[in-house]
Amino acid sequence: MSQQQWTAVDEYFGEVLIGADPVLESALAGADEAGLPHINVAPNQGKLLHLLALTVGARRILEVGTLGGYSAIWMARALPADGKLITLEIDPKHAEVARGNLKHAGLAEVAEVRIGPAADTLAQLAREGAEPFDFVFIDADKPGNPAYFEWAVKLSRPGTLIVVDNVVRGGAVADAASTDPSVTGSRRLHEVVAAEPRVSATSVQTVGVKGYDGFLLARVES
Ligand code: SAM
């Protein structure tokens, strides 16, 4: 199996199951024009997040790692009219692009972009006494994942679904000798999740246009 084949299959799924979406395509074009890196989720992954948010009946969604707002648009589209998505981004330029894209998508009323290191903005949400989130997507710096996961659990309720992207690190997550901070972050994340009695979790490997990677999914049980 090759990257070329994984890409062709993702393109096929996109054509058959997703189709053209001028708003999302314009969000990607806007991010590209602004010089943002191409590290957004793939269309079929965005739709997966959308379907998961719908399935849990999400009224409040939290995202860690906004970039240009591509995954935020997918998820915010799953919200009811009085729903709320808060997405956290360290880079003011990324946040500005995301705000423009969310506005263009007609989601400015439901989606809020907060700027700052996620460790700070997550702590701020807790200090504010934020209502629990129903769905959390963690997709920022990978060494931060153990701490972001712990915050996500604190900001959740029983039934909340937490999804963490890029946990496989090209397979290196299985390498106990790795010193790559993203790999050690992903291994530490799995240890934190395993030791957290309030969640039930699994991780799945994926291939596609974004290469070989995977997601961790955790349901808050109590
Ligand atoms: N979720 C986005 C999507 O699929 O459209 C992609 C997010 S991208 C993989 C990661 C983002 O996290 C980048 O925009 C980066 O600037 C941001 N980021 C990195 N470190 C961060 C931190 N400590 N706090 C908040 N955001 C951070």
Side-chain angles (χ1 to χ4, degrees), residues 4 24 103 181 188 196 220-222:
Q4 195 182 15
L24 283 166
K103 188 172 177 197
R188 180 77 194 125
E196 172 51 74
V220 178
E221 304 285 9
S222 60

Side-chain angles (χ1 to χ4, degrees), residues 135-146:
F135 184 71
V136 183
F137 180 49
I138 300 175
D139 187 23
D141 60 303
K142 308 312 165 185
N145 277 345

Side-chain angles (χ1 to χ4, degrees), residues 28 36-42 45-46 49 63-75 87-92 94-95 114-122 137-144 148 165-166 210:
L28 289 179
L36 272 52
H38 298 166
I39 51 174
N40 50 277
V41 296
Q45 296 173 331
L49 296 171
E63 179 179 55
V64 184
T66 316
L67 193 65
Y70 182 77
S71 52
I73 293 173
W74 270 113
M75 292 186 287
T87 180
L88 311 177
E89 173 56 53
I90 197 169
D91 188 318
H94 294 186
R114 293 196 181 189
I115 301 174
D120 296 349
T121 44
L122 287 162
F137 180 49
I138 300 175
D139 187 23
D141 60 303
K142 308 312 165 185
Y148 304 154
D165 198 7
N166 309 124
K210 309 296 293 188

Side-chain angles (χ1 to χ4, degrees), residues 22-32 68-70 73 97 101 104:
V23 167
L24 283 166
E25 283 152 25
S26 144
L28 289 179
D32 194 39
Y70 182 77
I73 293 173
V97 173
N101 283 333
H104 182 245

Side-chain angles (χ1 to χ4, degrees), residues 53-215:
L54 281 177
T55 302
V56 301
R59 304 184 71 81
R60 287 178 55 80
I61 298 175
L62 175 64
E63 179 179 55
V64 184
T66 316
L67 193 65
Y70 182 77
S71 52
I73 293 173
W74 270 113
M75 292 186 287
R77 283 176 169 180
L79 288 168
D82 62 347
K84 178 92 182 168
L85 176 142
I86 297 178
T87 180
L88 311 177
E89 173 56 53
I90 197 169
D91 188 318
K93 182 176 161 189
H94 294 186
E96 187 191 331
V97 173
R99 283 179 180 142
N101 283 333
L102 286 159
K103 188 172 177 197
H104 182 245
L107 295 164
E109 296 299 314
V110 292
E112 179 186 348
V113 185
R114 293 196 181 189
I115 301 174
D120 296 349
T121 44
L122 287 162
Q124 175 66 32
L125 279 168
R127 276 197 301 277
E128 283 170 14
E131 273 177 60
F133 293 91
D134 309 302
F135 184 71
V136 183
F137 180 49
I138 300 175
D139 187 23
D141 60 303
K142 308 312 165 185
N145 277 345
Y148 304 154
F149 183 83
E150 286 176 327
W151 277 117
V153 174
K154 284 184 194 132
L155 294 164
S156 292
R157 57 158 178 86
T160 296
L161 182 64
I162 302 170
V163 178
V164 187
D165 198 7
N166 309 124
V167 300
V168 172
R169 315 309 310 163
V173 70
D175 178 6
S178 175
T179 55
D180 177 333
S182 292
V183 175
T184 55
S186 192
R187 289 181 66 84
R188 180 77 194 125
L189 167 71
H190 283 82
E191 288 159 16
V192 166
V193 172
E196 172 51 74
R198 283 170 291 174
V199 307
S200 175
T202 189
S203 284
V204 289
Q205 301 179 73
T206 59
V207 293
V209 67
K210 309 296 293 188
Y212 166 46
D213 214 319
F215 294 105

